[in-house]
Amino acid sequence: MNDQRNKTPQLIILSGKGGTGKTSISAGLVHLWHQQNSTGRLTVVDADVDAANLNLLLNSETLAKHEFWSSSCAQIDPENCAGCGDCIAVCRYDAIFSDSPEAVTRRVDPIACDGCAACVYACGRKAIRMISQLDGHWLHSRGDYGMLFHAELLPGKENSGKLVSLIKQKAQKWAEVVNSPLMIIDGPPGIGCPVISACSGTDLALLITEPGLAGLHDLQRIYATLKHFKIPAILCINKADLYPQGTLELESYAQHESIKLVTKIPFDPNVHQAVRAGMPLTAYAPTSAAAQSVITIMDEVLRWMASRA
Amino acid sequence: MQIAITSGKGGTGKTTVATSLSKSLAGTRNVYYIDCDVEAPNGHLFLKPKIEFQADAVIQIPSIDQAICSVCGRCVEICQFHALAKTPQEILVFPELCHGCGSCTWNCKTNAIQEIENPIGTIESGVTAEGILFSQGILKISSPMPTPIIRQLRKCPTLSEDTIVILDSPPGASCSVVETLRGCDYAILVTESTPFGIHDLYQILGILQDLRICAGVIINRYDGNSVELEQILAEKNIPVLLTIPFDPLIAAGIAAGGTLIDILPDTKQIFLEMVAQIEMSLRVTQ
């Protein structure tokens, strides 16, 4: 129980749909925290490991880069392969093939291989073994506004969920050591494996959506996912004035589900320009309409933290 | 011909391009649109198909007959995904970790394992008013694994030779994107000219290189300033197929469920010319 009380609270930013502004808002919150509470050591995690962009706004300096070895891939020893085809028969991923109809030995397509090792056990000549794969790197960086834990999945690799779990674990350890008051997690899009890993252990989700049929549809799916894992959520509608009818529909959905709507962010070209400048919006254009909305979100986060204490 | 629409970064306009392209081609070509973004499938909102077929997307997971099982633990050793665990009394199965490879079943010495179907989502097919064949996968809430659904979706029905298959890809650059891109003839990368768009585009280019797929780029929400992006693309010999300006009218039209050709009818011709250009470039490289 004691552990639970001392655990750093975790806020995750999610959306379902991609490109709704998760990273811009995350960077704004990180910057505001630093501005308002420069002694508190924030823990920041970028959990979108196959499109990790938060670092581009936080201007951080990498302290350490570690290899992430996780998946494995079958390899057939051509000297030993008799071409019986038993491996092909068990492979459900169509990953084993012959170079030509005349070729005796088989080969593995590393891109198709799922790493299940069924072929290894099926091969009577023990000609197949599993080779570990470097799937990416995880990094720990000191930014202008706090410690950032992030990762780079190598293109096309698997186990993004495991990589997310790993950086969250590392972040949590650091948070404990420095008694960090808050962890902010910039989440991945979608509702699958990396999202589920990123959500694990979080205390509040800030959902960023945008008006329109797609925004609403994906909001419903991410909210259902959060409900399944019993994670409370608050909502923010980005670019709310671009399609007012859609904003009304989102508001009515939020009301129906009793999700607190924290703020509506108007479309603001400063958001785009801040990304181009590589700065958090709240630092780039502190008086802009969108930055004011991020301040409203920060106030809500602070209230939530106070209510937990 | 199979064309994948992908991006790396989310929300750059993949579905907008994929649905607009499908609608542009309908009437002159046979078109089959597949929504491979099974975590957030939105193509149906724009193409409004009449769904005629629905089936569970399943993977085969082990079911252990405890009466026969000798609890030897061989299956636990074999499983690469930690989906099985051994207690002193029995073997436990964790369906959400299982990849459905079948290895434990074949290697059980007492034949105590049978495979049962575990639904991880739904597959739906139908046809739109314009005659576009439509399929989508929908990942079940709380199910972590999109890739097997995409694999199932990609097992296309028999199509006429001249059919253009448009695959609407998930965002990111992990295994689900690879599953979408495998076997495609061409990839259209929809990006925006920001540091985010460029960073994530690099990830996709890595995959395309491994898969040896040719690509062209559509710059969306074009603000007239894409020098850095265009330099990178020129170095990599990737053509810019089209630029789409940022326009609040387009944004509102899409939000309301429109495609580009509903909002700006002239774009139909532009998309048709783009496909002709792609087909020509593929013939040259073949």
Side-chain angles (χ1 to χ4, degrees):
Chain A
M1 281 314 285
N2 216 7
D3 270 9
Q4 196 56 38
R5 232 188 344 241
N6 290 335
K7 192 193 125 208
T8 299
Q10 298 185 7
L11 169 73
I12 185 162
I13 291 89
L14 289 169
S15 66
K17 184 173 173 338
T20 59
K22 287 183 296 300
T23 300
S24 286
I25 289 169
S26 298
L29 291 175
V30 170
H31 167 252
L32 286 176
W33 175 276
H34 176 79
Q35 233 185 8
Q36 296 173 0
N37 193 343
S38 50
T39 52
R41 297 211 251 176
L42 195 64
T43 312
V44 186
V45 177
D46 186 349
D48 189 2
V49 297
D50 45 323
N53 292 331
L54 186 57
N55 190 34
L56 299 173
L57 300 184
L58 297 182
N59 188 29
S60 56
E61 171 206 355
T62 300
L63 299 178
K65 184 170 176 174
H66 311 264
E67 290 182 344
F68 171 64
W69 293 77
S70 177
S71 66
S72 59
C73 178
Q75 196 179 63
I76 300 175
D77 174 4
E79 304 279 300
N80 244 328
C81 173
C84 68
D86 284 356
C87 51
I88 297 180
V90 296
C91 180
R92 289 188 172 166
Y93 308 96
D94 304 326
I96 304 176
F97 64 99
S98 308
D99 279 327
S100 67
E102 303 83 45
V104 176
T105 59
R106 313 294 175 175
R107 287 212 300 140
V108 177
D109 172 359
I111 295 169
C113 177
D114 192 56
C116 72
C119 55
V120 173
Y121 294 98
C123 178
R125 299 172 65 102
K126 296 195 173 4
I128 311 180
R129 58 192 191 113
M130 300 306 290
I131 310 287
S132 308
Q133 304 287 303
L134 177 68
D135 289 326
H137 296 88
W138 71 270
L139 303 94
H140 130 229
S141 306
R142 194 193 344 257
D144 291 348
Y145 316 109
M147 196 64 86
L148 173 66
F149 293 83
H150 53 135
E152 293 160 354
L153 190 75
L154 289 170
K157 289 293 185 178
E158 296 182 29
N159 287 328
S160 53
K162 278 192 193 159
L163 184 50
V164 170
S165 296
L166 178 70
I167 52 171
K168 278 200 64 186
Q169 240 175 47
K170 301 291 176 188
Q172 231 159 314
K173 264 197 197 138
W174 185 83
E176 267 168 44
V177 171
V178 302
N179 199 15
S180 178
L182 178 65
M183 187 190 294
I184 293 185
I185 304 154
D186 184 8
I191 63 164
C193 169
V195 170
I196 293 171
S197 293
C199 278
S200 160
T202 56
D203 303 285
L204 182 69
L206 168 65
L207 298 173
I208 317 290
T209 188
E210 56 189 31
L213 297 181
L216 175 62
H217 177 259
D218 298 346
L219 173 67
Q220 289 167 340
R221 286 175 62 76
I222 186 68
Y223 186 62
T225 306
L226 290 169
K227 268 213 287 209
H228 178 91
F229 293 107
K230 301 191 168 62
I231 298 165
I234 53 176
L235 178 69
C236 152
I237 305 174
N238 198 4
K239 304 176 198 161
D241 52 344
L242 279 185
Y243 182 56
Q245 170 64 31
T247 296
L248 284 175
E249 284 158 14
L250 286 168
E251 286 180 278
S252 132
Y253 171 75
Q255 199 173 19
H256 181 252
E257 293 282 356
S258 306
I259 311 169
K260 180 171 186 182
L261 174 61
V262 180
T263 185
K264 290 182 269 185
I265 308 180
F267 173 76
D268 184 340
N270 283 297
V271 179
H272 176 83
Q273 284 156 16
V275 170
R276 279 209 174 226
M279 286 170 75
L281 167 72
T282 47
Y284 176 81
T287 56
S288 64
Q292 292 305 306
S293 295
V294 180
I295 292 171
T296 308
I297 300 173
M298 191 73 226
D299 290 343
E300 177 67 25
V301 171
L302 292 174
R303 267 199 299 280
W304 166 71
M305 289 176 68
S307 75
R308 288 171 54 91
Chain B
M1 182 173 67
Q2 301 194 4
I3 303 177
I5 319 296
T6 189
S7 69
K9 181 174 172 350
T12 57
K14 286 180 295 299
T15 299
T16 297
V17 168
T19 54
S20 303
L21 185 57
S22 299
K23 271 186 134 176
S24 302
L25 289 162
T28 47
R29 300 286 287 267
N30 292 319
V31 184
Y32 180 30
Y33 168 95
I34 311 177
D35 199 339
C36 294
D37 187 2
V38 303
E39 296 183 46
N42 290 330
H44 69 102
L45 300 169
F46 303 91
L47 292 177
K48 305 173 181 74
K50 191 166 164 258
I51 298 297
E52 291 162 344
F53 168 86
Q54 200 177 39
D56 280 343
V58 297
I59 58 169
Q60 306 289 328
I61 64 164
S63 165
I64 295 166
D65 186 338
Q66 304 294 352
I68 307 176
C69 174
S70 64
V71 202
C72 70
R74 168 98 174 136
C75 54
V76 178
E77 275 168 39
I78 280 174
C79 179
Q80 305 287 303
F81 309 110
H82 309 291
L84 295 158
K86 182 176 182 283
T87 73
Q89 296 79 31
E90 61 177 342
I91 302 293
L92 303 173
V93 181
F94 301 101
E96 66 279 7
L97 296 177
C98 177
H99 285 214
C101 71
S103 205
C104 57
T105 310
W106 302 319
N107 287 290
C108 176
K109 287 173 182 152
T110 56
N111 284 327
I113 308 182
Q114 260 200 326
E115 292 195 309
I116 54 169
E117 292 190 336
N118 182 38
I120 54 169
T122 315
I123 288 190
E124 293 183 345
S125 301
V127 63
T128 74
E130 302 84 3
I132 301 166
L133 296 177
F134 174 97
S135 283
Q136 65 175 352
I138 307 167
L139 182 69
K140 197 171 100 179
I141 299 296
S142 86
S143 170
M145 241 178 282
T147 316
I149 304 181
I150 301 170
R151 194 174 302 127
Q152 204 166 324
L153 267 175
R154 293 284 268 106
K155 294 204 167 126
C156 291
T158 323
L159 299 163
S160 61
E161 188 112 316
D162 67 331
T163 303
I164 295 195
V165 182
I166 308 283
L167 296 122
D168 197 349
S169 156
S174 67
C175 44
S176 55
V177 175
V178 173
E179 198 60 47
T180 305
L181 293 175
R182 267 174 75 193
C184 284
D185 301 290
Y186 195 86
I188 296 176
L189 311 173
V190 186
T191 190
E192 48 189 48
S193 175
T194 63
F196 290 0
I198 292 170
H199 174 272
D200 301 347
L201 191 72
Y202 268 112
Q203 296 281 100
I204 286 288
L205 291 176
I207 295 179
L208 292 173
Q209 200 171 5
D210 286 349
L211 294 172
R212 302 204 182 100
I213 296 174
C214 296
V217 164
I218 293 181
I219 306 175
N220 196 8
R221 302 192 191 102
Y222 183 65
D223 62 358
N225 176 6
S226 61
V227 179
E228 191 191 347
L229 175 63
E230 288 184 57
Q231 248 167 21
I232 293 166
L233 295 175
E235 272 166 33
K236 301 204 175 271
N237 216 358
I238 295 172
V240 176
L241 301 167
L242 191 65
T243 55
I244 303 170
F246 174 76
D247 181 342
L249 274 179
I250 297 179
I254 290 166
T259 65
L260 285 170
I261 65 164
D262 302 314
I263 304 159
L264 305 165
D266 289 352
T267 46
K268 176 172 174 159
Q269 195 52 39
I270 297 171
F271 273 118
L272 288 176
E273 281 162 21
M274 185 182 81
V275 171
Q277 189 191 332
I278 290 170
E279 285 184 305
M280 197 142 72
S281 75
L282 284 175
R283 267 199 296 275
V284 171
T285 50
Q286 262 159 13

